[in-house]
Amino acid sequence: MIDPVPSVLVRDVTKRYAAGGAEEVRALSGVDLDLPPASFVSVEGPSGCGKTTLLNLLGLLDEPSAGTISWDGHAMAGLGERERSRLRLRNIGFIFQRFYLVPTMTASENVELPMRAAGVGATVRRARARELLGEVGLGPKADRFPHELSGGEEQRVAIARALANGPGLLLADEPTGELDTANTEAILDLLVGIQAREGRTLVLVTHNPKVAQRARRHLTMQDGRIVRDSDAPEA
Amino acid sequence: MRRWRRRWGALRHHRWQGVLAAAAMAAAVALPVVLLSVGGGVADHEIRALQTSGYQITVSAAGQHGIEGTHALGARLLSIANVAQVSPVLSLAIDAFPSGGTPTPVLAEGVVPGPFGETLGPDESGLFPHPLPFSDPTDLVHYDNGSYAGTPDLQVMVAGPLASAVGLTVGSTLPLGATTDPNRSVPFTISGTFGVPRSAIGPAAAFAIVLPLSELQQLVGLGRDPVTGALVDASDTIDIALAGAAATDPTAVDQAASAITAIAPYYSVDALTQQAAQLGQTAAVLTGFYLALSSVGLSVGLVFLALVLVRQVETDRRLIGIRRALGVPARQIAVGWLRTSLVLTGSGVVAGIAGGWAIVSYLARYGQGSVATAAQLAVFDPLTLGLLALGILGLGAVASLAATRRALRLPIWEVLR
């Protein structure tokens, strides 16, 4: 049985991609990571160091080439796409740099999307979407379409959508990468507040040290490896 | 409304692809709609004409060696159980001379006026005056007891189109002859006119005349052999009507046909019920052919639809990736593409049926000749069209499989990069 806020263990994970012909790109090499429940972790590092690959593996969007990932002791390897999809729907909330809202849906409908997929009734999910949009300060704009919102507002909608099914694990990939300073601060305040208030695990990928500072634990990656973990004992 | 307009605006890149896919399906659907409605309508009309005909059995032997001794044979056929009317007909092309010396080919039908009028079907009976305006309804004044000793009435009815075309009126004289030589023609008096039955697959007989059988026989030399003087008394068809309930009882019809065959084994004896059944089978074969022909267009339309859907998957790969990343089950994604395919296919089916109806209506109104007649007979059977629509929707569902497969095989991490 997986806890709503799972303990995640990553052991000796390697991820290789084909790079045309017989060549391979090694995106991750022997990564070990423990994420106890309610962790707030930032992952820093230069472009191409493997941050997003690690996030994709944690979020079950991709599978490791070697090594294991387990949630509460349950190995994720070998799960079928149906089961992985169910875990993503119930246990993981994604926040992307480019927001990735569905342009043909209003803000409210975007937030309802994961709930609809989970089979939540229309009345309940509508009320919950309004509630979540209210929490991120977008109550009055619930019926706006994405192209009618600013970048900061779109990211707030994306955060509300990530919270829709009450996931224990929030994975944010450069969530402030496309925002100005004021909006960056506001979004970070929102995420930090949610994490602290609701005790979810939050993994925040960023290349911005100022953003990373807001986390309690800091990972630094380079060339597909975690080269620094603020929680690890000093060598 | 504003909300839907904004939603529609966001679908800008899909709009024309969808319209084109629906248009392709509409063009593919219109063809079977036209073929099935017109072909089915014509077949239904002809079968109904056979089923509601005023006679149920025909004896035929066309050509130079046609039926001989017609009047005597008719009297014998009348003695068969359930036989109520016997109507012999001799059909020949002869020449008329409506304006003096210029010959006009006409289709002459020699009939015994009384039985002929009684064996007309519902469609035809409205085209002829009742009774026929001939002074000898039995055709036994001129022809009597195997001789042609009586005085011919020399009366003829002409078809309305012929009367209009050459300016004939009731009471005027119309010379008729077996050859183009006007000097050998015989003057007949026009005693009436008749309409032309609508038929898409039979001869229209617009230039036709009807006259007593014995007078046509004598006119063309088929009363007596001109050389030997032997009695010929020829016809090519004898229509036989049964009495009362026997007319609609297939067993009684078959029994009467057998009895007729026993009397005249050297002539062809056909029951119209059998002809109707054969025509029905032919119509079914034609329907299959129409569907096979239409399947070519439908295949092209469905391939186009499948390509448009796959193209939409490529256009929407990021949106599909978002949905899958959020955990939307594969089944829901498949249902989404199925719904899109069914909406496009359904739109095409509706537009195709409307288009087919419009084409047939246009042909019925502005078409020429038998094309217009066939279009006027078209039947838009809701059951047939419904089954056609269901079949095409089913194929539309199959067309969505390629798009669904592609959508579910997109690597999520790659499309969200």
Side-chain angles (χ1 to χ4, degrees):
Chain A
M1 183 71 181
I2 291 172
D3 194 86
V5 185
S7 172
V8 180
L9 287 183
V10 176
R11 285 291 172 270
D12 198 21
V13 161
T14 296
K15 181 64 186 177
R16 292 181 292 267
Y17 293 108
E23 281 188 48
E24 278 188 343
V25 171
R26 188 177 283 248
L28 290 181
S29 294
V31 171
D32 291 314
L33 178 63
D34 293 0
L35 290 175
S39 305
F40 181 7
V41 181
S42 69
V43 184
E44 281 182 88
S47 293
C49 69
K51 304 186 296 289
T52 298
T53 302
L54 177 62
L55 206 69
N56 287 341
L57 294 176
L58 289 174
L60 308 181
L61 296 178
D62 203 356
E63 292 181 82
S65 307
T68 59
I69 296 175
S70 59
W71 288 18
D72 289 341
H74 298 278
M76 296 292 110
L79 288 183
E81 179 53 31
R82 176 185 286 201
E83 187 60 21
R84 297 162 69 84
S85 178
R86 197 185 67 79
L87 287 172
R88 285 200 298 271
L89 184 65
R90 307 277 178 183
N91 296 72
I92 304 174
F94 286 100
I95 301 159
F96 303 100
Q97 178 179 357
R98 293 178 196 163
F99 327 130
Y100 291 151
L101 300 180
V102 179
T104 54
M105 292 180 170
T106 63
S108 177
E109 289 166 343
N110 266 286
V111 178
E112 286 180 50
L113 183 59
M115 291 187 276
R116 196 165 63 183
V120 177
T123 311
V124 174
R125 69 171 189 252
R126 204 159 293 148
R128 168 97 173 127
R130 299 272 166 176
E131 180 192 328
L132 287 167
L133 285 170
E135 283 179 21
V136 298
L138 281 180
K141 296 185 176 179
D143 291 328
R144 299 271 181 94
F145 284 87
H147 68 271
E148 296 169 328
L149 300 171
S150 69
E153 288 170 336
E154 283 193 80
Q155 194 59 294
R156 286 165 189 266
V157 175
I159 291 170
R161 182 179 66 184
L163 298 172
N165 285 331
L169 184 59
L170 283 175
L171 302 175
D173 189 3
E174 303 274 13
T176 58
E178 302 227 333
L179 302 179
D180 57 26
T181 309
N183 272 313
T184 295
E185 285 302 319
I187 292 296
L188 284 174
D189 288 345
L190 192 58
L191 287 173
V192 170
I194 288 166
Q195 195 280 327
R197 194 168 57 246
E198 301 176 10
R200 303 168 199 264
T201 296
L202 173 58
V203 180
L204 184 69
V205 164
T206 181
H207 63 273
N208 183 341
K210 280 188 178 176
V211 172
Q213 279 172 9
R214 301 289 293 267
R216 288 198 299 273
R217 181 180 171 192
H218 311 283
L219 304 178
T220 305
M221 294 188 70
Q222 194 169 347
D223 298 332
R225 297 176 186 278
I226 295 174
V227 294
R228 184 172 168 273
D229 183 347
S230 63
D231 267 13
E234 291 296 326
Chain B
M1 181 58 93
R2 184 170 162 263
R3 190 167 158 148
W4 281 107
R5 203 160 39 232
R6 286 185 298 172
R7 206 183 293 270
W8 181 239
L11 281 169
R12 197 166 45 243
H13 56 291
H14 280 170
R15 211 181 297 168
W16 283 109
Q17 289 175 8
V19 168
L20 286 174
M25 288 306 299
V29 170
L31 178 65
V33 168
V34 170
L35 290 176
L36 291 175
S37 62
V38 174
V42 170
D44 283 354
H45 176 266
E46 297 300 327
I47 290 171
R48 195 170 55 250
L50 289 172
Q51 289 170 337
T52 60
S53 172
Y55 54 93
Q56 291 77 43
I57 299 169
T58 59
V59 177
S60 58
Q64 195 173 4
H65 302 286
I67 298 167
E68 294 187 358
T70 300
H71 288 83
L73 178 60
R76 291 180 67 196
L77 296 177
L78 266 175
S79 67
I80 294 173
N82 291 323
V83 172
Q85 293 288 351
V86 172
S87 172
V89 178
L90 174 62
S91 298
L92 289 168
I94 63 170
D95 286 296
F97 304 89
S99 53
T102 308
T104 300
V106 294
L107 176 67
E109 294 232 326
V111 303
V112 178
F116 178 76
E118 295 299 322
T119 51
L120 292 173
D123 288 348
E124 288 178 322
S125 63
L127 304 171
F128 287 86
H130 189 79
L132 297 185
F134 292 115
S135 55
D136 176 18
T138 62
D139 192 41
L140 289 176
V141 172
H142 178 48
Y143 174 90
D144 195 9
N145 295 322
S147 76
Y148 292 87
T151 307
D153 296 318
L154 298 181
Q155 292 172 321
V156 66
M157 291 179 68
V158 296
L162 173 62
S164 300
V166 296
L168 300 173
T169 56
V170 175
S172 62
T173 299
L174 177 63
L176 299 174
T179 68
T180 54
D181 181 1
N183 295 322
R184 298 176 64 186
S185 66
V186 177
F188 280 69
T189 303
I190 297 173
S191 60
T193 60
F194 59 91
V196 175
R198 187 173 66 168
S199 173
I201 59 175
F207 273 31
I209 60 174
V210 172
L211 66 165
L213 173 61
S214 58
E215 295 176 22
L216 180 60
Q217 289 171 338
Q218 283 293 80
L219 187 69
V220 299
L222 291 174
R224 286 189 181 282
D225 187 300
V227 178
T228 64
L231 181 70
V232 179
D233 186 15
S235 63
D236 50 57
T237 308
I238 300 176
D239 299 330
I240 297 157
L242 301 188
T248 54
D249 178 2
T251 306
V253 173
D254 287 345
Q255 284 174 350
S258 298
I260 293 165
T261 304
I263 290 176
Y266 27 84
Y267 300 141
S268 171
V269 179
D270 295 303
L272 294 198
T273 49
Q274 292 169 352
Q275 287 185 21
Q278 285 171 356
L279 191 52
Q281 287 171 357
T282 305
V285 170
L286 278 175
T287 299
F289 173 73
Y290 296 153
L291 288 174
L293 187 65
S294 304
S295 67
V296 177
L298 284 172
S299 300
V300 172
L302 287 164
V303 166
F304 188 80
L305 173 68
L307 288 175
V308 164
L309 291 175
V310 169
R311 169 80 182 134
Q312 286 190 0
V313 169
E314 291 304 317
T315 309
D316 283 354
R317 52 194 280 125
R318 181 157 288 167
L319 290 175
I320 294 164
I322 295 167
R323 284 185 158 91
R324 289 185 55 203
L326 293 176
V328 174
R331 184 170 41 82
Q332 286 188 23
I333 289 172
V335 166
W337 286 103
L338 175 66
R339 191 187 304 126
T340 303
S341 179
L342 290 182
V343 165
L344 293 177
T345 309
S347 305
V349 167
V350 170
I353 290 174
W357 177 83
I359 291 167
V360 172
S361 300
Y362 178 86
L363 291 175
R365 189 162 181 180
Y366 302 108
Q368 300 287 319
S370 60
V371 171
T373 305
Q376 286 158 9
L377 293 172
V379 174
F380 292 89
D381 177 33
L383 179 64
T384 305
L385 294 180
L387 289 173
L388 178 69
L390 274 179
I392 294 170
L393 284 173
L395 293 172
V398 173
S400 73
L401 291 179
T404 301
R405 186 169 178 273
R406 200 167 186 91
L408 294 178
R409 290 197 166 197
L410 289 174
I412 306 174
W413 59 269
E414 191 178 311
V415 297
L416 295 181
R417 209 156 44 175

